[in-house]
Amino acid sequence: MARNSLFRKNLNFSALDNDFYKMNMWQCFMHQYPYVEDVEYRFVVRGDTDLRPYRAEIQQELAKIEGLRFTSGQIQWLERIPWYTKDFIEWVRMWSYQNRFLHIGEEDGQLAISAKGPLMHVHNFEMPVLSTVAEVYNRHNYPNKSYEDVRQPLYEKIKWLQQQHKKHDLTGLQIAEFGTRRRFSYEAQFTVIDMLKKMLPDFFVGTSNMHLAKEFDILPIGTMAHEIFMLSQQIGVQLVHSQKHTLETWVKEFRGQLGYALTDTIGMDAFVRDFDLYFAKLFDGLRHDSGDPIEFGERAIEMYKNLNIDPTNKTIIFSDSLDFKTMVSLFLRFRGRIRTSFGIGTFLSNDVRGVTPLNIVMKLVRVNGKPVAKISDAPGKNLCDDPEFVSYLKKVFEVDWA
């Protein structure tokens, strides 16, 4: 079928058009956090772009997900994933989006979007909200962008990477596409994955987007996100043990599968104190999502050595603001010292000629009516609406930076 426009006139949603880590956490929520009936996810614009002029159109598009459910073909695809249990698959089969949990308005001179309600129902709103806001904004501000504006920058990157391969022998380099949340449009992300699969077969290992993984018959990639660590901050577990609780429940749920731990919900220092020999042996590796990646890699190697674990048997997944040059430099620096893999988002799915990508997120902010927080290794990524809780969290975990 000919693909004529980077923008769909009307957004045709798929329940599978979501990131794989959301599905994995969803099952963990079902079994390990079964009675969380009051959570809030909030949309945040990192920057000064005023999105209020697009409110009506965003609301109109998001209204289309009401009642959206997984198709029988999508369920069959999910059933092939070995760690999904029968009861979870049956939940997924029955579930549908309910827009009574989604609220769109304006607050403090900006577009305001939140999802409030039971965890098992509102967890999945993040991706459709972010991708819809971005696509509506882009089709108004960049209406004349073409497929060539997507293909040419990527072609140049691929050509550069192929040259680096000849120069340095990059055998073993693994690249995954992680761009659903920040994509220019669905068609742009589709185009990028199509090119990566065809032109980088030795390096490209899959995508975080389940719908596109199914369409292209490639691996879905992803494990966990910050929200599961944040969730544990307000479910009755003593706060100082909340990270350990999350890691323990993950191991209990997946029994050695999906073994990559996210390190920066409360910062690497606090994580290392909690990530003892028990967890270091059970998890296959770590995911880096904020802070200096070289410092992180060196710290991870040091941590494993201090635990008398051979770092070459562990893996770091780098996923923070990567481009190909940074990726190659990290691959070369750590080659032979620790395994590496790379998840790249905006640089692939929203690197369009002449476009400045939106910087938007939708994060968990409250659980059971109480605040939760992320205070990562990059303060600009911090998120919490309660300064007192942030101060308390820093005190409990002995985190003293701003």
Side-chain angles (χ1 to χ4, degrees), residues 7-9 11 13 51 53-62 129-142 183-185 358:
F7 301 110
R8 298 167 289 174
K9 185 175 181 181
L11 303 188
F13 290 95
L51 297 176
Y54 316 103
R55 172 187 168 183
E57 190 170 340
I58 290 167
Q59 196 158 0
Q60 182 180 9
E61 293 288 5
L62 285 171
V129 166
L130 293 175
S131 60
T132 297
V133 169
E135 185 144 350
V136 169
Y137 173 82
N138 288 329
R139 72 188 181 192
H140 276 278
N141 288 274
Y142 307 104
R183 69 192 183 196
F184 181 75
S185 68
L358 283 177

Side-chain angles (χ1 to χ4, degrees), residues 1 20-21 41 67 92 167 193 239-240 272 297 332 341 361 374:
M1 183 181 73
F20 193 43
Y21 69 76
Y41 289 77
V92 172
K167 182 178 179 180
I193 293 174
L239 184 59
V240 71
V272 168
L332 294 175
S341 183
V361 296
K374 179 180 110 172

Side-chain angles (χ1 to χ4, degrees), residues 318-329:
F318 290 98
S319 63
D320 179 38
S321 304
L322 291 176
D323 56 31
F324 276 14
K325 291 183 178 180
T326 303
M327 174 186 68
V328 169
S329 67

